[in-house]
Amino acid sequence: MNNSPIGVFDSGYGGLTVLSELVKTLPGYDFLYLGDNARTPYGTRSFEVVYEYTLQCVKYLFSQNCPLVIIACNTASAKALRNIQQLDLPKIAPDRRVLGVIRPSVEKVAGITLNGHVGVLGTSGTVASESYPIELQKWSGGKVVSTVQEACPMWVPIVENNEIGTEGAEYFIKKNIENILRKDKDLDTLVLGCTHYPLLIDSIIKYVPKNINILQQGEITAEKLKEYLIRHPEIENKLTKNATLQFLTTESAENFNGKAEVFMGHKVEAGHVHL
Ligand code: DGL
């Protein structure tokens, strides 16, 4: 079968929360997921390293015939996407596209915030990059008047180590949420700016007042991608529609399969790739 799938990239497993929503919203399309599990996490790495790793992974997905790559990782979207779009794509693949998760979230926030007070929870890397405040300022059409952020460095390890729902996990989730609520008492929208955080939603909602909207990116990215494909038939026409779903990991495939099944809710058989 000659596939030209939508490539979905993440530093590890987290992007599977985005992938599963993409598959639900665009069920006929082919998808190829690449998790850089051997080098995860990206959240604590430098700008240069995240850019280098992300570009390598995007190039690999291009070599696998992907006309379009979604960077499902917030850290990589924050630190690498702009350079890839502006510096690399024109040279290496001018007819292909790479999209991230920050812009779709920002557009959604602009559509739902009533008082313009927004909070963003993310990895240390995403927070330090200031990508959310900058993009919210730029793309919200003046609707966002204040953005506060909180780095939650323990949340990814909680998910990765299957500590969801434990006493220790609750401690860190409560602490970070109390911190961000303290930074702006008028918050009306809270963005879960990291792929892993939707898996902590049952704990998160316990500590967030009911009047605050909590944005999860999987659904938003899927909804925005669907709209993008309608607006860009030149990319849409290149995508094959055999409803296949393939997985690749830079770690051992066996390790990947076990955890990926938890994220996807069904059996996964990944291939190993050495970059
Ligand atoms: N995928 C990353 C993100 O969304 C979280 C995991 C990591 O730090 O690599 O920011």
Side-chain angles (χ1 to χ4, degrees):
M1 208 184 317
N2 198 5
N3 268 4
S4 295
I6 299 174
V8 181
F9 162 69
D10 182 49
S11 56
Y13 299 106
L16 294 169
T17 57
V18 176
L19 177 70
S20 46
E21 292 300 328
L22 293 176
V23 173
K24 263 191 236 161
T25 305
L26 300 163
Y29 289 78
D30 297 307
F31 289 94
L32 173 59
Y33 183 88
L34 172 59
D36 192 6
N37 300 79
R39 301 187 294 197
T40 203
Y42 280 18
T44 44
R45 293 191 190 276
S46 68
F47 180 92
E48 289 75 18
V49 168
V50 172
Y51 173 40
E52 180 194 329
Y53 289 178
T54 305
L55 181 59
Q56 244 180 0
C57 292
V58 166
K59 281 184 178 168
Y60 185 81
L61 286 167
F62 284 167
S63 78
Q64 300 305 296
N65 218 21
C66 296
L68 171 68
V69 172
I70 306 298
I71 296 186
C73 176
N74 282 267
T75 308
S77 295
K79 293 189 165 184
L81 180 62
R82 186 184 297 261
N83 271 0
I84 291 176
Q85 285 175 330
Q86 294 179 358
L87 304 178
D88 300 297
L89 266 193
K91 281 187 267 171
I92 60 172
D95 54 341
R96 306 196 193 202
R97 292 293 172 266
V98 181
L99 305 173
V101 283
I102 296 182
R103 178 78 181 270
S105 309
V106 163
E107 288 173 4
K108 186 74 181 183
V109 168
I112 63 168
T113 181
L114 293 177
N115 68 4
H117 287 254
V118 178
V120 178
L121 301 167
T123 63
S124 308
T126 298
V127 167
S129 76
E130 293 279 324
S131 288
Y132 274 97
I134 293 168
E135 299 283 311
L136 281 163
Q137 187 72 31
K138 201 156 137 197
W139 299 109
S140 74
K143 285 199 75 182
V144 173
V145 295
S146 150
T147 306
V148 291
Q149 305 190 91
E150 170 78 4
C152 309
M154 296 305 290
W155 292 21
V156 168
I158 287 169
V159 173
E160 292 284 330
N161 294 293
N162 217 1
E163 292 287 328
I164 300 170
T166 62
E167 212 178 302
E170 293 297 316
Y171 169 82
F172 285 108
I173 293 167
K174 182 168 183 280
K175 178 175 154 189
N176 289 125
I177 290 176
E178 283 175 356
N179 284 350
I180 199 162
L181 294 176
R182 224 175 288 125
K183 289 176 188 169
D184 182 350
K185 302 217 174 342
D186 296 322
L187 281 190
D188 82 345
T189 307
L190 191 58
V191 180
L192 303 189
C194 175
T195 49
H196 287 58
Y197 300 175
L199 290 156
L200 300 171
I201 191 70
D202 290 344
S203 303
I204 294 169
I205 54 174
K206 283 192 228 162
Y207 309 112
V208 176
K210 300 275 172 290
N211 61 316
I212 298 181
N213 286 307
I214 302 175
L215 283 198
Q216 302 194 47
Q217 293 177 314
E219 274 172 44
I220 298 165
T221 307
E223 185 189 305
K224 295 288 177 189
L225 179 59
K226 196 173 175 182
E227 291 168 16
Y228 175 89
L229 293 176
I230 294 169
R231 288 197 312 275
H232 293 276
E234 76 287 1
I235 299 294
E236 205 283 335
N237 290 338
K238 289 184 190 154
L239 300 168
T240 51
K241 287 120 195 149
N242 302 307
T244 62
L245 184 54
Q246 290 169 281
F247 299 87
L248 294 171
T249 174
T250 54
E251 244 294 344
S252 113
E254 244 175 50
N255 286 355
F256 181 88
N257 294 342
K259 267 201 186 151
E261 283 171 23
V262 176
F263 280 81
M264 295 304 290
H266 58 73
K267 207 166 160 38
V268 167
E269 272 185 46
H272 171 75
V273 50
H274 184 80
L275 294 177

